Amino acid sequence: MPLIMDGRDDEYMDDLFGDSEPAQNDLFGENEAIQISQPSSSIPKPVIDRLEEIRIGGCCSKIAWSNSGAVASILPGGRRVVLRVFQRNVRRRSWDFGEELPLSINPTPEAPRIVHLSWNMSGSILALMDACGRVGIFSSSGAIGKLQQVRNHEQDDEDDSSKIVSCYWLPLTYHQGFIRYIKSATKSASTGAWSYQSVLDRTPGPFHPWEGRSALVCLTESGKIRLLYDTPNGWAEKSIDLGAASYSDEYITHASFAPDKEGKLLLATHSASGQCEVFAMRINWNERRQNIQGQQQVVGVDPQMLTTHLNTVPAFAPYQSILDPQDPQSVANFRDTSLAQLTHLEFLPGTFERNWQERKPAQLIAIFSHVRNIGNSNQAVDDFSILSSWDINISTPSLHPAFKDINPKAKNAKFDPSTQRCTSQRKPDIIFDGNVLRIQPLRFNTVLALVLADGSVNLRDCTSLDLISPEIESEQVSTLPHSGYTFDHNSSGISLDVGFSPNGCIIVAIDPEGKFRQRKMGLAPLWTDDFQPEQPIIALVAQYATATMYSWSNDDVLAIVPSNTKRELVNQFLRDLYTSLGFSVDYTTEDSQRQKMIVTGLPIPKCLSAQNILADNHGYTHTGVDDKSRKPRRSIQSKLAWSLLNLRMSIFIFVMIVKQDKAPMDPATIPYIHGLTRWTFDLLNFVIDELFQLADAVGYDNRSNKSVIMQEIQNLNTPALHLLLLGMGRFLISFANRQFRLTGFQVTTAIKAQTHLDEQSLSHRRLYNDYMSIYNDSPVKLNHSEELISDITDLVKSTYDASHLSADARHDAEKRLLVDGDISDVLMPVVTHILTTSVDKLRCRNESDPTKMLDPMKLFFHDVRWLGLTDDRASEEYLRENTVDALFKVKVREGKTRRRCTRCGSVVEEERLRGKVMARGQMGMLDKSCVCASNWMAVP
């Protein structure tokens, strides 16, 4: 049963009987002598109530932004939760949140209020906690913004002493092990190029050993640790008390977990009496394993927890300020720290200091605040906060090596957690005006963000705890704040609670009226049209690349690229993405591992996805659109990236669902590859027709004139020539050619294998014939594409070889061709060959061999509007009136549930993601990822 009263009610008794006069603190007449002269701004009552809530206890976040890009928030009253998805408006080319998507919880009016919410590390699972510590868990069904309940909170007892004061999600199995992330970038003094330094580090703390399954650790105010973990039969739970060190007559108000490198969790707790304890917790999962398809896999777990009391933090309270009545400066800065009470407790795991030279120990951060308008606080003293911190050093005693020499055969002693030593070293307190609403570690615990009640944001170095001063022209870049990014206070306003985006670039806030707002990091006034240093862009590269390595959403990084960024810096951002991730775009040589990465890996598609957006948003001129009601033309670099992304996805789906042998084609596969085949053939038609138009526009006499050719490419706004010159483009087209050759053979074999034609066989025959009509009706035949790609590939290789370019120079030339659109002088003989020999050969009518004929007139009138690569009004109207499934390249049927990409705005029909074919290979990846490698979101 709920408790009638607990210790917290004592603090309200004075108010009840009218004894909480400020005069109690003025028995000796001291208040008048230490008045602080500066005035205090009034705080709205909802904010005061919020500050009181975080003072009473931890684990009361009202808004949280997941690493997948969805924001969950508790509505006023604590009875409803809504989701919003961060997304890009394609037409306006801007980022914002979509409409509210209510979470289905249906609480009764008598049910305890929902007080806290928390996402797991991947952003696919959301936990809701109410005032009595009951936990409901919701899981994503593939599209973000669409959650289903997988654990009902009503299965927990309704008990006030079970209120949760801290929780921590264990990392998923694939996050365990060594994780690489970008730590900094350094500019070369000789070349001016930036090199990116990365760290290969082990994920700290315990993890759920069952691949893809999550686990949540919670601590209640009564000192019980709850472990909720996912199993095939639903969510299970184990619990343990803190033991002899647990609290008896008092309760825990605040607590925080921190993982360490030895696979355990550290836990700091604060009791109502003001005592702070440090514990260690280990989880023995007792997993059962079986050999499944030659691999030992987990098939069951029976976890057990072990806790150990490590230490009591001495003097866990703010240092008392020293007042010198004779010193005006001392009087002006004096704060009576005895008035401040704990509001936040954060345990940061051990990490590297800013320069990444030395690993620092775990750090305990505490915020003590004085709020003038709360309870029995001193009304004459303005609001202030104190940041206190302790380095927590944990060591395990070991025998001197000399003892090993006494008996070399002696076995090593087993680890005994009770022998661990824990010491704390306190740092100087930091006192500042205002009250802290949220404390948030960023950038792998190297930056500490403090959000104050007035909306201001303090960004501090986690090691020194000093405010970060921008070093916008430094030769070394580490974090966004150090490179000049900050949150503008003038655009903020007062908030009740805030959440940070996956990369800490954007804050989403709830204001006192319950409205939803966002604040983006910016560079003003450091960044102007005339003054645009590289450093902020380089910091964005490091952040985007790191999020890519972690499979986090990095839409927020793209959203804070300044809108007035010069084209050269946009190109530098895109080029350096490949450098920072360690990937080359040079596909002129046959490298099977590199070729596999573009088809099955995510880093290169993530880079192309950024180019698809940024090349269309920043620093690119859109010409040729007279009607202001129409959207601007898509840039060449954006079209090129979009073509490569779609080619890559088509190949991926073919490889996953089409058997790579010469067996007859399964008729169930045809509906999934029909649209893809048509789309790819139409892309080939588009490319060759654009080559014809480019050759005609350039004229025969100028087909070796680079300036004329580049100008006509801009006039036509066509990516066709770049797609053929680029090694990556030729590889993808060549791969598609081979796949179509195989698929055509499989379908033809299936037709020949039909010995009798019953009703089902006739249905299959129609499917096969309809599919083969794509081959037959296309103006560009498969042999045209094969011969063209083979011819250009051989010529490019020989041209590069003859130029004696180094591998690095060739890589750079390919990268600049992809990102900048710059055709190297080395490749100009290839360009001339394509616009003369290749074009003339394709236009030639060979009457003796009809298979080699290409009708230019039929090609010219061939309908390619649906590709999204043409700029005419008819294409725009077609795409506005017809929604094309981005994955399977067919029209989306009316009335069918859809999903939309958060970044490029593409749409997929959800029903097609549920077919049996989707179970083949890695097709399950398509349930979450769009063509552009971003996330699908639910469409209301």
Side-chain angles (χ1 to χ4, degrees):
M1 292 179 61
L3 298 178
I4 297 175
M5 179 178 291
D6 58 22
R8 285 169 296 185
D9 295 308
D10 294 340
E11 61 197 57
Y12 301 115
M13 296 302 291
D14 289 341
D15 290 339
L16 183 62
F17 293 100
D19 293 332
S20 60
E21 292 298 326
Q24 292 178 0
N25 295 319
D26 195 24
L27 294 176
F28 303 101
E30 295 178 349
N31 280 342
E32 187 173 345
I34 60 172
Q35 288 300 310
I36 301 174
S37 58
Q38 56 266 42
S40 171
S41 59
S42 60
I43 302 178
K45 187 177 184 306
V47 179
I48 295 175
D49 294 340
R50 172 63 181 161
L51 292 171
E52 173 70 350
E53 182 181 18
I54 61 180
R55 184 191 66 81
I56 292 175
C59 235
C60 54
S61 297
K62 299 297 184 289
I63 189 167
W65 196 329
S66 74
N67 284 332
S68 64
V71 173
S73 59
I74 302 172
L75 296 183
R79 295 289 186 268
R80 294 177 56 220
V81 174
V82 295
L83 304 175
R84 293 177 178 88
V85 179
F86 190 63
Q87 57 189 285
R88 178 175 177 265
N89 185 298
V90 178
R91 179 164 289 275
R92 293 200 304 265
R93 289 181 167 89
S94 61
W95 295 88
D96 206 343
F97 288 93
E99 59 186 278
E100 290 185 358
L101 301 170
L103 196 64
S104 179
I105 48 179
N106 300 321
T108 61
E110 299 79 16
R113 294 179 301 105
I114 301 171
V115 296
H116 182 74
L117 36 76
S118 175
W119 293 96
N120 72 338
M121 292 186 67
S122 67
S124 60
I125 299 177
L126 175 67
L128 304 182
M129 303 165 194
D130 66 20
C132 291
R134 302 186 302 173
V135 181
I137 298 180
F138 296 77
S139 178
S140 170
S141 59
I144 60 176
K146 185 177 182 180
L147 300 177
Q148 297 177 342
Q149 190 171 39
V150 293
R151 186 185 191 274
N152 196 326
H153 65 282
E154 293 182 355
Q155 68 188 69
D156 295 333
D157 293 333
E158 189 174 319
D159 186 347
D160 288 347
S161 66
S162 296
K163 180 182 183 299
I164 294 172
V165 293
S166 182
C167 65
Y168 173 80
W169 284 99
L170 302 188
L172 297 175
T173 305
Y174 60 81
H175 284 154
Q176 188 272 339
F178 289 98
I179 297 297
R180 174 174 169 254
Y181 51 89
I182 307 298
K183 65 176 185 178
S184 60
T186 306
K187 187 175 184 178
S188 171
S190 57
T191 65
W194 290 86
S195 60
Y196 294 83
Q197 294 79 46
S198 61
V199 170
L200 194 63
D201 206 4
R202 184 179 293 278
T203 303
F207 61 95
H208 196 314
W210 209 320
E211 185 174 0
R213 298 193 181 276
S214 294
L216 176 66
V217 181
C218 303
L219 175 68
T220 69
E221 65 177 22
S222 62
K224 176 188 289 187
I225 297 178
R226 301 172 59 187
L227 174 64
L228 286 72
Y229 56 99
D230 188 16
T231 74
N233 298 321
W235 283 75
E237 180 177 350
K238 290 290 183 72
S239 63
I240 185 175
D241 289 325
L242 285 178
S246 64
Y247 303 90
S248 54
D249 297 331
E250 58 184 0
Y251 55 90
I252 300 173
T253 62
H254 299 78
S256 180
F257 290 96
D260 82 342
K261 291 294 178 182
E262 296 183 1
K264 61 180 179 294
L265 279 180
L266 302 178
L267 170 63
T269 64
H270 175 267
S271 67
S273 64
Q275 187 167 292
C276 182
E277 310 279 356
V278 179
F279 301 85
M281 186 187 83
R282 288 185 177 272
I283 303 176
N284 182 0
W285 287 94
N286 297 313
E287 61 261 33
R288 301 188 307 276
R289 296 180 179 270
Q290 286 184 3
N291 190 307
I292 301 176
Q293 297 180 350
Q295 293 183 344
Q296 289 292 321
Q297 298 185 16
V298 177
V299 295
V301 292
D302 183 20
Q304 293 180 340
M305 292 175 285
L306 173 66
T307 61
T308 305
H309 180 256
L310 297 179
N311 199 1
T312 298
V313 179
F316 190 80
Y319 284 133
Q320 180 61 50
S321 299
I322 299 176
L323 172 64
D324 182 0
Q326 306 303 320
D327 182 0
Q329 187 70 23
S330 174
V331 173
N333 295 331
F334 178 78
R335 301 290 189 276
D336 184 0
T337 57
S338 64
L339 299 174
Q341 301 181 62
L342 182 73
T343 58
H344 298 81
L345 187 65
E346 188 76 25
F347 209 164
L348 304 181
T351 186
F352 288 95
E353 42 81 33
R354 182 197 165 193
N355 294 322
W356 301 88
Q357 300 298 318
E358 180 184 356
R359 185 181 289 277
K360 294 296 183 180
Q363 188 173 194
L364 186 61
I365 304 288
I367 301 292
F368 299 90
S369 294
H370 164 69
V371 185
R372 186 179 54 174
N373 302 82
I374 289 182
N376 59 358
S377 60
N378 192 323
Q379 303 296 313
V381 179
D382 283 340
D383 297 348
F384 66 89
S385 295
I386 305 165
L387 192 159
S388 303
S389 64
W390 294 259
D391 284 341
I392 306 296
N393 292 279
I394 300 175
S395 60
T396 302
S398 60
L399 290 175
H400 191 277
F403 287 93
K404 186 68 176 178
D405 297 335
I406 299 175
N407 185 4
K409 296 182 179 180
K411 295 182 180 180
N412 294 327
K414 293 184 179 180
F415 169 76
D416 183 1
S418 64
T419 64
Q420 284 194 310
R421 294 176 179 172
C422 176
T423 60
S424 60
Q425 182 177 0
R426 185 161 186 172
K427 299 178 181 179
D429 286 353
I430 299 173
I431 304 177
F432 50 93
D433 292 330
N435 300 114
V436 177
L437 275 178
R438 172 67 69 95
I439 176 172
Q440 179 75 38
L442 304 173
R443 194 74 170 100
F444 302 100
N445 302 309
T446 58
V447 175
L448 190 68
L450 303 180
V451 183
L452 274 61
D454 64 358
S456 60
V457 182
N458 289 346
L459 298 174
R460 297 179 176 269
D461 184 280
C462 262
T463 302
S464 66
L465 296 178
D466 293 333
L467 288 171
I468 294 175
S469 299
E471 302 169 4
I472 197 168
E473 295 185 86
S474 172
E475 300 301 304
Q476 186 174 32
V477 171
S478 55
T479 69
L480 291 173
H482 285 99
S483 66
Y485 272 98
T486 187
F487 291 99
D488 183 6
H489 184 198
N490 294 330
S491 65
S492 58
I494 297 175
S495 304
L496 291 179
D497 201 2
V498 300
F500 283 79
S501 65
N503 297 283
C505 305
I506 304 174
I507 289 176
V508 60
I510 302 175
D511 67 16
E513 297 179 358
K515 295 181 180 179
F516 191 84
R517 296 182 291 102
Q518 65 164 310
R519 295 171 56 195
K520 297 178 181 178
M521 269 187 166
L523 289 166
L526 300 174
W527 182 277
T528 65
D529 290 341
D530 299 323
F531 179 69
Q532 296 190 2
E534 300 172 292
Q535 283 77 359
I537 299 300
I538 299 303
L540 290 176
V541 171
Q543 193 67 56
Y544 188 97
T546 298
T548 297
M549 296 173 186
Y550 270 75
S551 299
W552 292 345
S553 169
N554 40 26
D555 288 343
D556 56 332
V557 179
L558 298 182
I560 67 167
V561 177
S563 59
N564 64 339
T565 304
K566 296 176 181 178
R567 176 171 178 171
E568 308 88 78
L569 288 179
V570 173
N571 289 346
Q572 183 174 3
F573 174 89
L574 298 171
R575 288 195 304 269
D576 278 24
L577 278 182
Y578 296 100
T579 303
S580 62
L581 289 166
F583 286 95
S584 171
V585 299
D586 180 13
Y587 283 78
T588 58
T589 58
E590 293 185 5
D591 185 332
S592 59
Q593 189 63 29
R594 188 182 301 168
Q595 293 170 349
K596 180 181 179 181
M597 281 302 299
I598 190 177
V599 177
T600 60
L602 278 180
I604 291 182
K606 279 284 189 180
C607 295
L608 292 172
S609 178
Q611 177 171 329
N612 179 48
I613 299 302
L614 291 183
D616 211 26
N617 270 21
H618 299 271
Y620 288 78
T621 302
H622 307 281
T623 59
V625 179
D626 299 325
D627 187 352
K628 293 183 179 180
S629 64
R630 295 175 57 197
K631 62 182 181 181
R633 294 199 305 177
R634 196 175 196 168
S635 71
I636 294 173
Q637 283 70 33
S638 177
K639 289 182 179 181
L640 179 61
W642 185 243
S643 301
L644 293 169
L645 285 167
N646 280 275
L647 276 171
R648 175 251 175 193
M649 181 57 72
S650 297
I651 291 171
F652 175 83
I653 294 177
F654 263 97
V655 171
M656 290 298 109
I657 67 176
V658 175
K659 295 180 179 180
Q660 301 301 299
D661 55 31
K662 295 186 177 181
M665 173 64 68
D666 180 0
T669 305
I670 294 294
Y672 289 90
I673 63 173
H674 186 280
L676 291 171
T677 304
R678 181 180 165 228
W679 190 94
T680 309
F681 264 97
D682 281 357
L683 177 65
L684 297 175
N685 283 284
F686 166 79
V687 167
I688 293 180
D689 183 52
E690 292 286 295
L691 282 184
F692 288 174
Q693 294 187 50
L694 178 61
D696 293 340
V698 169
Y700 194 84
D701 294 337
N702 291 316
R703 293 182 183 181
S704 298
N705 190 321
K706 182 178 178 179
S707 61
V708 173
I709 293 171
M710 295 302 295
Q711 183 58 53
E712 291 302 334
I713 289 175
Q714 292 296 324
N715 293 339
L716 292 172
N717 200 34
T718 175
L721 184 61
H722 289 74
L723 189 61
L724 295 178
L725 289 175
L726 190 66
M728 186 190 299
R730 292 195 310 277
F731 162 70
L732 291 173
I733 294 175
S734 178
F735 199 120
N737 288 338
R738 292 195 302 271
Q739 187 63 58
F740 290 150
R741 185 66 68 184
L742 173 63
T743 305
F745 178 86
Q746 292 172 326
V747 173
T748 303
T749 302
I751 294 175
K752 293 179 179 179
Q754 290 182 319
T755 56
H756 63 283
L757 296 179
D758 55 16
E759 185 174 346
Q760 186 180 47
S761 298
L762 286 173
S763 176
H764 293 168
R765 173 67 65 89
R766 285 191 291 270
L767 278 175
Y768 293 140
N769 289 338
D770 190 31
Y771 179 80
M772 291 307 299
S773 67
I774 300 173
Y775 289 63
N776 300 327
D777 296 343
S778 173
V780 174
K781 308 301 180 183
L782 197 53
N783 62 285
H784 293 141
S785 178
E786 290 171 332
E787 292 175 7
L788 177 64
I789 296 302
S790 176
D791 183 34
I792 297 175
T793 299
D794 292 341
L795 184 57
V796 169
K797 287 181 179 180
S798 62
T799 302
Y800 273 136
D801 291 341
S803 68
H804 303 293
L805 279 180
S806 65
D808 289 342
R810 190 179 67 243
H811 295 174
D812 186 66
E814 289 285 306
K815 190 187 297 184
R816 290 187 177 275
L817 177 63
L818 169 63
V819 174
D820 301 62
D822 181 28
I823 300 176
S824 170
D825 292 340
V826 173
L827 291 178
M828 280 309 299
V830 181
V831 174
T832 302
H833 177 85
I834 293 174
L835 296 181
T836 54
T837 305
S838 299
V839 168
D840 292 344
K841 185 177 180 180
L842 286 168
R843 279 175 164 170
C844 179
R845 294 174 179 269
N846 191 334
E847 301 293 347
S848 62
D849 188 354
T851 63
K852 294 185 178 181
M853 293 176 56
L854 193 156
D855 186 347
M857 189 60 70
K858 182 180 179 182
L859 178 64
F860 179 78
F861 287 106
H862 189 73
D863 189 358
V864 293
R865 293 175 298 168
W866 70 311
L867 297 178
L869 299 174
T870 46
D871 304 316
D872 56 289
R873 185 186 296 274
S875 299
E876 187 175 335
E877 290 178 353
Y878 178 88
L879 293 175
R880 187 166 53 246
E881 296 172 359
N882 300 274
T883 303
V884 178
D885 188 301
L887 294 179
F888 302 105
K889 309 303 182 189
V890 293
K891 289 184 180 181
V892 175
R893 294 167 290 185
E894 291 292 334
K896 296 294 183 178
T897 304
R898 307 177 180 189
R899 296 180 182 178
R900 185 168 63 245
C901 177
T902 60
R903 181 175 296 183
C904 71
S906 296
V907 173
V908 66
E909 189 177 311
E910 188 163 324
E911 187 175 312
R912 290 195 173 91
L913 296 173
R914 298 289 177 260
K916 294 182 179 179
V917 174
M918 297 299 295
R920 301 178 186 175
Q922 302 177 39
M923 288 292 286
M925 293 174 58
L926 304 184
D927 192 42
K928 298 180 179 179
S929 296
C930 172
V931 168
C932 72
S934 293
N935 294 325
W936 294 118
M937 59 169 285
V939 177

